[in-house]
Amino acid sequence: MRDLLRAYFSRRTLVSLYNLFLSLSHKLLTSFPLSLLMPKSNDGDGDGAVAESEAAPLLDLAKPSLPVSFPIKSLQDLKSRSYFDSFHFQFNRSTVPLRRNPDGLPNRPRVLVCHDMKGGYVDDKWIQGCENDAGFAIWHWYLMDIFVYFSHSLVTLPPPCWTNTAHRHGVKVLGTFITEWEEGKATCKEMLATKESAQIYAERLAELATALCFDGWLINIENEIDEEQIPNLKEFVSHLTKVLHLSTPGALVIWYDSVTVRGHLQWQDQLTEKNKPFFDLCDGIFMNYTWKEGYPKLSAEVAGDRKYDVYMGIDVFGRGSFGGGQWTVNAALDLLKTSNVSAAIFAPGWVYETAQPPNFYTAQNKWWSLVEKSWGIVQTYPQVLPFYSDFNQGFGHHVSLEGRQLSNAPWYNISCQSLQPLLEFNEDNNDIIRATVDSREASYTGGGNIAFRGILKGDAYFTARLFKPHLQLSSSPITISYSVKSDETSKLGILLCFSSASHETKSILVAPEEPIGRFNHMFLQCLATSEQTVSEWTVHETSLVMDGHTLTEISAFCYGPENSTRGPEYAALLGHISMKDHVQLQQTPDSLPPESSWVIEAHNIELAPGNSGSNILRVKLEWRQKHLKDSVFPRYNVYAESVKSTDLRSRKVLEKPRSESVFIGIAYVPTYYVSELVVESDVKGVCFVVQPCGEDGSWGKLDDSPKLLLELEALSFKDLS
């Protein structure tokens, strides 16, 4: 992918500069310096981190520390499987299964998005999250089929946060295997020394993808290959594809258009006899970016029945890319769509890295609206029940649980993204009401909501698209609930659109019991909701049956009281939306596994002296249900409560938090590392509580959640693991 720079430098100059950079960066980045492994806010320029790294000791990845994602940088480390000996390995597994059918890709032109953001492993490397609420995020998952995590390290392993949230939305995730320049040529010479060595390294890559639960690899060989080793390179690609398909059905291996079958580094920009032999051995090809107008159709002709497996590259930075990328990226997308091939969008982080005005949130939504206009929506959800979203975008300024604030600290953790709404972007600001995801306003659960603000006069109403489901319904009733925070003059309902077997469209409005008869002529039915007030939020709920129909759209419906003399200002927050069938509705917090069914343990315990007589506690918590091998819950909230009493008998943590009870984090694997818990001198013990949370938005009572009491007086100032 260094071909992106060809428009600016001569090849000889570029090679000299890059070799110098490669030599220096390899020495600096062989391991993560300790200063880079503290989850502090990133100021964005990285200058401070470089200066600190010169003096900071390198982190021993085998020892306990804040869980971090990192690449594999050498063939030796790949072959030896040393990654699996890392303390961080068990934290790096994705735990969210791919939402849609994992066995195949849709038979249509597809969209692949290749992450390339400041070299990778920035705020997203902190598996348990960090405090930079302004970190980079993507939330337009409904516009893509495949997501590739990219860096210039030999083996780029996707941080689990990306795999978790992509899988939640039905998007496959690939890591990257890349070799470049003279160092890459030497790496390939060793890797491809024999057919057996090529197979060994292919098996190592397949093992990593399967163990970490991502969906395959982008193979990027950007250096010359000795021609006599080409058969072994083909064996590497073929064997990786075969082994990966066996270990992870539906996994993908995609070849990057770079080295040819003669071993020359010659980007073809189209499918030709020079790169097609590699394409024939795997699941697709990511074409270089400098293609000409006629190349997509020519590539489709060469690919034949596999034309959708040809992903034509588009560089969002615009470096030699057709149409110029950036704010004219739709020029390339439009051409590819009409050429009936797939698109590979490289570096959408351009919006973030170049600080496009007026702010990241607005610019990000504007840029992705270009993709939607060109390509359309490619992901539909929900497709099954239960369905739940609290509109969390993976960063925020607080964390809430049913209207009760657990933390007011800024945070960033992409794993926390719930299913994202498909809000439409309107730059002209013609809408009477603007709908935006707002992480600063109060949240019902998580750290986000949808805020509706604007002008709504008289009996006018406003609708906003939220989701595009494909949910087939039966004679079983479904229950819909949603939470709203507003005054009495700003009403918010949910509009549901259905399609019958004969393709007839029907709509049902779900809204508060306040007279909604004036809308009866507009919809098949208007269902009044029951109401319950929870911490300044009103939770609305109702049930319906639409046997033989398919739910095709969920929208917000904003309106005011009938014949109101109120002012025109409208403001309402939508906190969550949930749908369950009658069986799932019976699963309440009381029906979750009791505390006695859990085992919770502490490992790698360390107590160190802190400031002013306090101590610092570090410990890895692990938990499981006694009779289950794997965790059945997608998420856990972790709390710590100081115990000052000399009576250290096991006791309950109150459902209502006390001043001593602290929310300390969220885990997506059944383990959590507590890294810097400050305990005051008068604290005799710390009680940890792990609260299971269901995919339907339910959560266990703290009384019934697994607990572990650590008696501090029994610990000495040393590692007790």
Side-chain angles (χ1 to χ4, degrees):
M1 294 183 182
R2 65 176 183 275
D3 180 51
L4 299 174
L5 302 173
R6 288 189 295 179
Y8 303 108
F9 296 102
S10 70
R11 182 166 181 79
R12 179 174 297 177
T13 301
L14 180 60
V15 170
S16 299
L17 289 173
Y18 195 89
N19 282 337
L20 176 61
F21 166 78
L22 194 65
S23 174
L24 292 173
S25 62
H26 179 71
K27 293 177 182 178
L28 287 173
L29 300 178
T30 300
S31 299
F32 281 95
L34 186 60
S35 61
L36 297 181
L37 293 178
M38 298 303 292
K40 300 299 182 182
S41 296
N42 188 342
D43 61 8
D45 59 20
D47 294 337
V50 173
E52 290 179 26
S53 68
E54 295 175 357
L58 297 178
L59 182 72
D60 184 346
L61 294 172
K63 293 184 178 180
S65 63
L66 270 173
V68 68
S69 295
F70 56 94
I72 296 173
K73 294 180 173 290
S74 72
L75 278 181
Q76 180 182 356
D77 287 341
L78 176 60
K79 184 177 181 180
S80 69
R81 305 176 70 251
S82 61
Y83 179 86
F84 297 105
D85 297 326
S86 163
F87 173 79
H88 306 268
F89 161 58
Q90 67 183 121
F91 295 92
N92 272 278
R93 290 184 300 108
S94 167
T95 54
V96 178
L98 188 64
R99 178 184 54 79
R100 67 180 182 191
N101 179 9
D103 294 334
L105 289 168
N107 188 34
R108 56 160 171 76
R110 309 170 195 129
V111 177
L112 178 153
V113 173
C114 190
H115 166 283
D116 178 52
M117 235 295 299
K118 296 187 176 181
Y121 301 104
V122 189
D123 298 301
D124 54 359
K125 70 175 176 281
W126 301 110
I127 297 171
Q128 294 178 174
C130 70
E131 64 181 27
N132 183 20
D133 58 294
F136 175 68
I138 290 175
W139 50 86
H140 296 84
W141 299 102
Y142 53 92
L143 301 176
M144 68 185 84
D145 298 285
I146 303 168
F147 177 79
V148 179
Y149 193 79
F150 180 84
S151 82
H152 286 277
S153 295
L154 179 67
V155 180
T156 299
L157 302 168
C161 63
W162 293 108
T163 310
N164 282 338
T165 192
H167 279 185
R168 193 172 289 126
H169 291 85
V171 176
K172 294 190 176 187
V173 176
L174 309 185
T176 303
F177 180 83
I178 185 172
T179 62
E180 302 175 279
W181 307 96
E182 289 303 316
E183 182 181 8
K185 185 175 182 179
T187 295
C188 289
K189 193 174 186 68
E190 178 182 349
M191 180 178 73
L192 306 175
T194 65
K195 177 180 178 180
E196 291 72 25
S197 65
Q199 291 176 340
I200 287 173
Y201 289 110
E203 290 167 7
R204 293 293 184 268
L205 292 179
E207 180 185 32
L208 284 164
T210 302
L212 298 179
C213 302
F214 60 92
D215 307 295
W217 294 98
L218 171 67
I219 305 299
N220 188 5
I221 307 296
E222 292 212 72
N223 47 258
E224 301 281 340
I225 298 288
D226 293 337
E227 190 169 357
E228 60 269 21
Q229 289 192 321
I230 291 297
N232 291 341
L233 177 58
K234 293 169 73 173
E235 177 63 24
F236 170 75
V237 176
S238 174
H239 194 64
L240 173 60
T241 305
K242 292 175 183 176
V243 173
L244 196 53
H245 286 181
L246 288 173
S247 61
T248 306
L252 303 173
V253 175
I254 295 180
W255 175 262
Y256 184 72
D257 167 35
S258 49
V259 71
T260 70
V261 288
R262 300 298 298 273
H264 303 308
L265 186 58
Q266 295 176 341
W267 301 271
Q268 300 297 294
D269 299 329
Q270 60 181 310
L271 193 61
T272 71
E273 73 280 358
K274 294 183 178 180
N275 56 23
K276 188 173 183 292
F278 297 111
F279 172 73
D280 292 338
L281 296 171
C282 62
D283 301 297
I285 186 168
F286 185 146
M287 212 62 69
N288 193 49
Y289 315 106
T290 51
W291 46 268
K292 307 302 180 184
E293 185 172 357
Y295 289 7
K297 284 190 175 180
L298 291 173
S299 297
E301 292 173 3
V302 174
D305 293 340
R306 292 190 61 202
K307 58 183 178 293
Y308 301 144
D309 296 333
V310 177
Y311 300 85
M312 302 297 293
I314 304 171
D315 175 29
V316 180
F317 279 82
R319 296 159 288 200
S321 193
F322 181 88
Q326 301 185 13
W327 292 113
T328 56
V329 70
N330 52 302
L333 288 168
D334 291 343
L335 178 62
L336 297 181
K337 190 69 179 292
T338 59
S339 300
N340 219 19
V341 293
S342 295
I345 301 173
F346 181 76
W350 168 80
V351 175
Y352 183 91
E353 289 195 60
T354 58
Q356 291 296 301
N359 54 65
F360 173 55
Y361 178 83
T362 302
Q364 170 101 321
N365 288 334
K366 177 182 177 181
W367 188 88
W368 281 99
S369 73
L370 300 175
V371 179
E372 181 175 348
K373 289 174 184 176
S374 289
W375 214 267
I377 294 169
V378 302
Q379 297 286 352
T380 56
Y381 52 83
Q383 294 184 1
V384 296
L385 296 178
F387 161 60
Y388 173 85
S389 178
D390 54 33
F391 319 114
N392 193 329
Q393 288 188 323
F395 54 86
H397 304 269
H398 57 266
V399 177
S400 299
L401 185 63
E402 282 202 344
R404 174 167 53 85
Q405 190 173 96
L406 302 180
S407 169
N408 61 1
W411 61 275
Y412 170 97
N413 187 342
I414 300 299
S415 278
C416 295
Q417 272 196 13
S418 60
L419 285 172
Q420 291 299 293
L422 285 64
L423 298 179
E424 296 176 273
F425 179 78
N426 186 350
E427 186 176 22
D428 297 332
N429 204 18
N430 290 331
D431 284 340
I432 53 178
I433 289 178
R434 291 185 65 82
T436 58
V437 175
D438 192 331
S439 63
R440 291 187 177 273
E441 286 279 3
S443 298
Y444 179 70
T445 291
N449 61 66
I450 300 181
F452 300 89
R453 298 186 182 91
I455 302 298
L456 201 60
K457 297 180 180 179
D459 289 338
Y461 64 89
F462 171 82
T463 62
R465 180 187 74 189
L466 297 180
F467 297 98
K468 296 286 287 186
H470 185 78
L471 184 62
Q472 295 179 333
L473 302 178
S474 66
S475 58
S476 176
I478 62 170
T479 297
I480 302 158
S481 67
Y482 65 99
S483 54
V484 176
K485 188 174 184 180
S486 68
D487 60 29
E488 288 299 318
T489 64
S490 298
K491 302 293 184 179
L492 182 60
I494 298 296
L495 182 61
L496 306 174
C497 294
F498 302 88
S499 175
S500 68
S502 59
H503 304 290
E504 181 184 3
T505 300
K506 302 176 182 179
S507 299
I508 292 180
L509 176 63
V510 176
E513 199 167 346
E514 182 270 344
I516 53 177
R518 69 183 191 269
F519 301 124
N520 280 338
H521 67 286
M522 298 168 53
F523 310 115
L524 172 69
Q525 193 176 3
C526 293
L527 292 178
T529 61
S530 61
E531 299 181 8
Q532 179 183 3
T533 301
V534 181
S535 300
E536 299 183 343
W537 290 82
T538 301
V539 179
H540 302 272
E541 184 173 291
T542 193
S543 296
L544 58 85
V545 176
M546 289 294 286
D547 188 16
H549 287 74
T550 300
L551 179 63
T552 58
E553 185 158 330
I554 303 171
S555 301
F557 188 87
C558 304
Y559 65 101
E562 191 172 14
N563 301 321
S564 173
T565 58
R566 69 183 181 89
E569 293 82 11
Y570 181 96
L573 301 178
L574 178 62
H576 87 286
I577 184 169
S578 169
M579 293 185 182
K580 302 178 183 181
D581 62 28
H582 72 288
V583 175
Q584 295 157 350
L585 190 63
Q586 308 305 315
Q587 297 174 357
T588 65
D590 291 327
S591 65
L592 294 177
E595 181 182 1
S596 59
S597 68
W598 294 87
V599 174
I600 180 169
E601 300 172 338
H603 302 283
N604 305 112
I605 306 170
E606 183 180 356
L607 191 65
N611 297 324
S612 304
S614 66
N615 296 315
I616 304 296
L617 179 63
R618 303 182 182 96
V619 59
K620 183 176 78 168
L621 303 174
E622 292 186 277
W623 54 89
R624 67 183 187 279
Q625 287 180 256
K626 291 179 180 178
H627 305 296
L628 293 177
K629 180 180 178 182
D630 298 317
S631 172
V632 295
F633 292 93
R635 196 189 80 187
Y636 303 88
N637 294 332
V638 183
Y639 303 80
E641 181 176 340
S642 298
V643 180
K644 296 183 179 181
S645 169
T646 55
D647 180 7
L648 292 176
R649 291 175 299 175
S650 179
R651 63 180 184 80
K652 293 183 178 180
V653 177
L654 300 179
E655 181 70 34
K656 183 177 180 181
R658 304 159 31 128
S659 59
E660 297 91 350
S661 183
V662 179
F663 169 79
I664 59 175
I666 295 174
Y668 285 85
V669 291
T671 184
Y672 187 88
Y673 185 69
V674 181
S675 64
E676 297 288 330
L677 185 64
V678 178
V679 290
E680 301 301 330
S681 57
D682 58 343
V683 172
K684 305 300 181 182
V686 177
C687 183
F688 292 102
V689 186
V690 177
Q691 182 180 43
C693 301
E695 63 176 344
D696 61 352
S698 63
W699 44 272
K701 293 182 177 180
L702 292 183
D703 276 354
D704 298 325
S705 298
K707 305 175 183 64
L708 178 69
L709 182 62
L710 283 183
E711 300 183 27
L712 299 185
E713 291 182 336
L715 306 179
S716 59
F717 292 119
K718 64 179 181 179
D719 189 346
L720 300 177
S721 60

